[in-house]
Amino acid sequence: MNRTQVAKDETGGLIAADKVEGTEVYNRAGEHIGEIDNIMIDKLSGKVAYAVMSFGGFLGIGERYHPVPWSMLKYDTGQGGYVVDLDKKVLTDAPNYEPNRVPDYADRAWGKKLHDYYGVAPYWY
Amino acid sequence: MNRTQVAKDETGGLIAADKVEGTEVYNRAGEHIGEIDNIMIDKLSGKVAYAVMSFGGFLGIGERYHPVPWSMLKYDTGQGGYVVDLDKKVLTDAPNYEPNRVPDYADRAWGKKLHDYYGVAPYWY
């Protein structure tokens, strides 16, 4: 089975969703922030709206999900992960939820607030 | 662990990449075509470029991957899967590759040919 090979594929400007999932996230100071658990796609435009970062917790206890606007993430080949240019505290305090309390991602008011927190334009603009 | 719940999340206009992966694909006639193995994202624009469909094979033997332009897929709630409005033969004959022979997805000439085959505009247009 060569599923792994396909999954890890990253050629030039394209990246497999499977590869994004599980990728570590750091901040500019090199601090480990969390890892990407999943990505949320806007069905209509086909654009990636959020990278959902898992943050903290141990063996699933105390784990929180932090949806981060996709535009915030830059891949850093040196670091071997994504870099978000924010203090750890800003990310810790960002809108987040428990694994079993998934917010209404379709709620534009919720989405607007989230993007405002990070200071970036919403993906639907 | 509520990973599954998060993974299966689909709220309004957004869908989790985890949910897309493994989703069955049918044609308009209701014939089962294959399933989505992975999705390829254009890093620069953050747009989903292709759904990579696994096609045929058994226990990984004889399996082929068919990258389908994302714009070709429509989700059908009744069918519980994606519907591609093409004859099975058109999909069978479409550009495809063996799991261990991943093409250069960044090659625009290759991408253009693929989109031309399906008769849709390339995602980078």
Side-chain angles (χ1 to χ4, degrees):
Chain A
M1 295 294 290
N2 291 286
R3 195 188 156 86
T4 310
Q5 190 173 341
V6 176
K8 299 287 175 210
D9 183 52
E10 181 182 356
T11 52
L14 294 163
I15 189 165
D18 271 12
K19 187 176 159 74
V20 178
E21 292 155 15
T23 303
E24 304 297 342
V25 182
Y26 303 90
N27 66 8
R28 284 243 176 265
E31 289 175 288
H32 182 250
I33 301 291
E35 65 167 61
I36 295 174
D37 180 73
N38 211 337
I39 53 181
M40 298 296 293
I41 297 160
D42 180 46
K43 281 186 278 189
L44 198 66
S45 68
K47 279 189 83 171
V48 177
Y50 303 104
V52 184
M53 235 174 67
S54 68
F55 200 90
F58 180 67
L59 299 178
I61 299 159
E63 197 178 34
R64 312 279 307 187
Y65 288 101
H66 294 236
V68 179
W70 178 254
S71 57
M72 297 288 303
L73 279 85
K74 303 281 167 262
Y75 191 79
D76 182 49
T77 43
Q79 194 76 263
Y82 287 95
V83 170
V84 174
D85 191 14
L86 291 172
D87 286 342
K88 196 163 181 170
K89 183 159 170 42
V90 175
L91 278 158
T92 312
D93 294 348
N96 64 82
Y97 56 92
E98 291 172 51
N100 58 348
R101 304 190 70 162
V102 180
D104 180 7
Y105 270 93
D107 178 0
R108 286 276 160 101
W110 174 87
K112 178 73 172 63
K113 232 170 119 178
L114 188 94
H115 283 81
D116 283 350
Y117 180 86
Y118 286 107
V120 292
Y123 64 88
W124 63 83
Y125 274 22
Chain B
M1 295 296 291
N2 291 285
R3 196 189 157 84
T4 309
Q5 191 173 343
V6 176
K8 300 287 175 209
D9 183 51
E10 183 182 356
T11 51
L14 293 163
I15 188 165
D18 271 12
K19 189 178 157 75
V20 178
E21 293 156 14
T23 303
E24 305 296 341
V25 181
Y26 303 89
N27 65 10
R28 283 243 177 266
E31 289 175 288
H32 181 251
I33 302 291
E35 65 167 61
I36 295 174
D37 179 74
N38 210 337
I39 54 182
M40 298 296 294
I41 297 161
D42 181 45
K43 280 187 278 190
L44 199 65
S45 67
K47 279 189 83 170
V48 178
Y50 304 105
V52 185
M53 235 174 67
S54 68
F55 200 90
F58 180 66
L59 300 175
I61 299 159
E63 197 178 31
R64 311 280 308 188
Y65 288 102
H66 294 235
V68 178
W70 178 254
S71 56
M72 297 286 303
L73 280 84
K74 303 280 166 264
Y75 192 78
D76 182 50
T77 44
Q79 194 76 263
Y82 287 95
V83 170
V84 174
D85 191 13
L86 291 171
D87 284 342
K88 196 163 183 172
K89 181 156 171 46
V90 175
L91 278 158
T92 312
D93 295 347
N96 63 83
Y97 56 91
E98 291 171 51
N100 58 348
R101 304 191 71 160
V102 180
D104 179 8
Y105 270 94
D107 178 0
R108 287 274 161 100
W110 173 86
K112 177 74 171 62
K113 232 169 118 179
L114 187 91
H115 284 81
D116 283 351
Y117 180 86
Y118 286 107
V120 292
Y123 63 89
W124 64 83
Y125 274 22

